[in-house]
Amino acid sequence: MRRLLLALPFALLPLAVAHAAVEHDHDHEHEHGSLGAHEHGVGRLNASLDGQTLELELDSPAMNLVGFEHPATSDADKAKVAAVRAKLEKPATLVNLADAKCTLEQQELESPLFGDEPDHEDHDEEADGDEHHHEHSEIHARYQFRCVAPSALTHLDLASLFKVFPATRKILVQMIGPNGQQGAELTPEAPALKF
């Protein structure tokens, strides 16, 4: 199943290229040099439904979920990080899967804010030493569900995720389901995608 999720970005590469062409003038793209630009307010979700197995992989700037990207040093910041992690550890409250009778089998949460090693592909420091300007912490969440009634899963509904994390204004979704592959931009006003 993991092979299917890993193949998803390549299967939908034409959509990503078209989206990148539209967003080409975004400030962060020249800094990152890739299609996966770090953009506050925007997250990415890969979804795959294969038989009874549903896999979700969410990547988001920490700013969207926590409200900051710097290391949590104060008690208030540490409490925010802990609260966000607790919410991410309950994905059924973020994505509506009730009708499909899905149970969480595996999950992985990764972020420098959670104490994981930061990606070392970060930006070079400016000559003036202002490294705070260049911090871009990401939060990665991967979930695998076993769904007893996968045919009841007709929509991927992220309305709860947008409510829980209101700084998230758009989620770019790439999905493989029973009806093939598709991509969409979900927003709080249009939070669902049909499988």
Side-chain angles (χ1 to χ4, degrees):
M1 187 64 204
R2 191 173 256 321
R3 289 188 314 250
L4 187 59
L5 259 184
L6 292 174
L8 185 60
F10 295 109
L12 295 173
L13 188 59
L15 176 68
V17 170
H19 180 72
V22 171
E23 301 271 334
H24 186 263
D25 63 347
H26 188 271
D27 292 340
H28 292 290
E29 284 191 333
H30 75 277
E31 293 175 10
H32 291 271
S34 71
L35 292 177
H38 179 101
E39 184 179 350
H40 294 175
V42 179
R44 292 173 181 5
L45 179 74
N46 292 330
S48 169
L49 178 60
D50 184 21
Q52 292 186 335
T53 302
L54 173 67
E55 291 194 1
L56 302 175
E57 186 174 280
L58 176 68
D59 294 318
S60 176
M63 183 67 74
N64 299 356
L65 308 180
V66 182
F68 58 85
E69 296 185 330
H70 58 270
T73 53
S74 73
D75 288 343
D77 285 354
K78 288 176 184 178
K80 285 180 188 176
V81 169
V84 165
R85 184 175 185 124
K87 290 174 185 174
L88 290 171
E89 288 174 344
K90 298 176 184 167
T93 63
L94 303 174
V95 180
N96 184 359
L97 305 173
D99 293 341
K101 298 179 179 132
C102 298
T103 55
L104 183 64
E105 290 192 326
Q106 294 178 6
Q107 75 176 358
E108 293 176 44
L109 301 176
E110 298 175 354
S111 174
L113 296 180
F114 299 153
D116 300 323
E117 286 295 316
D119 295 335
H120 290 291
E121 59 189 66
D122 288 343
H123 320 289
D124 294 332
E125 290 184 28
E126 293 272 331
D128 65 0
D130 181 14
E131 63 183 270
H132 176 76
H133 174 71
H134 291 286
E135 292 176 5
H136 290 291
S137 294
E138 298 277 332
I139 294 177
H140 307 286
R142 291 173 196 86
Y143 307 104
Q144 181 176 323
F145 296 90
R146 175 72 53 201
C147 301
V148 176
S151 60
L153 193 57
T154 58
H155 292 80
L156 182 63
D157 185 352
L158 304 180
S160 295
L161 189 145
F162 283 113
K163 287 178 186 165
V164 171
F165 301 114
T168 301
R169 302 302 308 150
K170 178 171 39 174
I171 298 178
L172 305 176
V173 178
Q174 296 179 357
M175 182 168 66
I176 295 178
N179 296 322
Q181 63 188 29
Q182 57 184 313
E185 291 184 9
L186 301 184
T187 64
E189 298 77 29
L193 177 62
K194 189 173 183 176
F195 262 102

